Amino acid sequence: MTIAIGIDVGGTKTAIGLIDEQGHIRNKQSLPTDLGISPAQMVARMAAVVQAMLDESSISSSEIAGIGIGAPGPLDTRAGLIDCPPNLPGWQGFALVAELRRHFDVPIRMENDATAAALAEKWLGAAQASEHFAFVTISTGIGAGLYAHGRLLTGASGNAGDAGHIVIDPAAGRCACGQLGCWEWVASGTAIARQATELRGIATTAKEAFELAAAGDALMQPLVERVYRYIGMGCVSLINLLDPELIVLGGGVAQIGEPLFAAVAAYVSAHALGPRGRQTPIVPAGLKTEAGLIGAAALVHVPY
């Protein structure tokens, strides 16, 4: 039995796990992604957590098949670089793979975090029976992993699927990337919290916004309905572009559950271009919030 070390780097937290060949998580930890320190210092913290987990689980170096990293884009997977991620200021041009190799002498593979999560959903999750699907994660930002004709679509440099920067509503303001009205600017967890805080005049999380809307709050109900519509618009764009068999929604915002899925399915059924597209199933991630972590390990365990 071999173990993959999965590292899912996020804008707010980094999840680290020891995952076996069946996809079972043997151990996992998370730590804040501290943007107040250098990326190299952050990697040193990750390495210390990994080593502590290996020691705690009595796993020897001979049992480690490799390290898989799911990281936010834009990135350069061939060179192992984090290029210029909007949610990781200060990490521009950072050689993440090379820095991690200073701590561990094992094979290391890196892909966009949503791409890695898509591989996990194909391996063990909601897309096991599909050869054509898109995995969309809606959390700090919005990203997509694309799978077509039985393989991952990674693009020339690993950035295929950066769907969070599809323009949805130019009137909604300027995204961190510089464009107006990007999908993640209007519908990510960060976007929901920002808009809810502006409307209420007090700090409000995305979770609180959804709870208030469900309770009938007159300010939050229109916001949540608009977010559902924006998510539907992004899904229609992916359906029209890629002709998938299904779309898998993951990430923290997708945990809202049935109200979101019903609203998005209704939008898709009304607005996707073709008859088959309008019937595209919109399903929750089978691995829920673990898709990113298991996906990072899948980069080691699963051929792609």
Side-chain angles (χ1 to χ4, degrees), residues 11-250:
T12 54
K13 71 180 179 72
T14 294
I16 301 172
L18 307 180
I19 293 115
D20 66 23
E21 292 167 310
Q22 277 73 50
H24 299 134
I25 299 174
R26 298 289 195 87
N27 198 339
K28 69 173 181 176
Q29 301 287 335
S30 68
L31 65 161
T33 303
D34 190 343
L35 301 179
I37 62 175
S38 72
Q41 289 173 305
M42 187 63 206
V43 169
R45 289 185 184 179
M46 296 178 200
V49 169
V50 169
Q51 191 58 59
M53 292 168 65
L54 292 171
D55 293 342
E56 179 184 332
S57 302
S58 300
I59 294 172
S60 67
S61 58
S62 63
E63 297 175 272
I64 301 172
I67 297 174
I69 307 168
L75 40 71
D76 184 339
T77 56
R78 293 179 178 178
L81 299 177
I82 302 285
D83 270 344
C84 51
N87 295 323
L88 289 176
W91 287 57
Q92 289 86 354
F94 178 57
L96 177 54
V97 171
E99 187 65 29
L100 201 54
R101 282 204 177 103
R102 296 181 58 200
H103 299 272
F104 299 101
D105 185 20
V106 297
I108 301 176
R109 305 193 75 170
M110 180 174 73
E111 295 287 352
N112 180 277
D113 48 7
T115 297
L119 185 61
E121 287 295 318
K122 174 61 180 173
W123 182 25
L124 299 169
Q128 292 180 63
S130 178
E131 296 299 296
H132 304 267
F133 71 93
F135 170 83
V136 179
T137 179
I138 309 172
S139 52
T140 303
I142 294 179
L146 310 177
Y147 197 93
H149 301 285
R151 62 180 298 174
L152 280 177
L153 299 182
T154 58
S157 59
N159 291 301
D162 213 343
H165 299 283
I166 294 171
V167 173
I168 296 292
D169 184 357
R174 192 172 301 279
C175 176
C177 78
Q179 288 202 106
L180 294 172
C182 289
W183 197 11
E184 74 173 41
W185 177 254
V186 298
S188 66
T190 305
I192 297 163
R194 184 191 73 247
Q195 294 169 86
T197 297
E198 291 171 354
L199 287 168
R200 300 184 69 228
I202 58 173
T204 306
T205 66
K207 182 174 183 291
E208 289 168 342
F210 282 114
E211 290 171 346
L212 287 165
D217 185 277
L219 288 175
M220 294 300 97
Q221 277 188 327
L223 169 61
V224 167
E225 290 169 3
R226 185 167 68 248
V227 166
Y228 289 164
R229 185 168 67 252
Y230 285 150
I231 294 172
M233 292 168 72
C235 288
V236 164
S237 294
L238 291 175
I239 289 166
N240 291 345
L241 180 66
L242 299 168
D243 190 25
E245 295 170 326
L246 79 160
I247 289 183
V248 180
L249 296 184

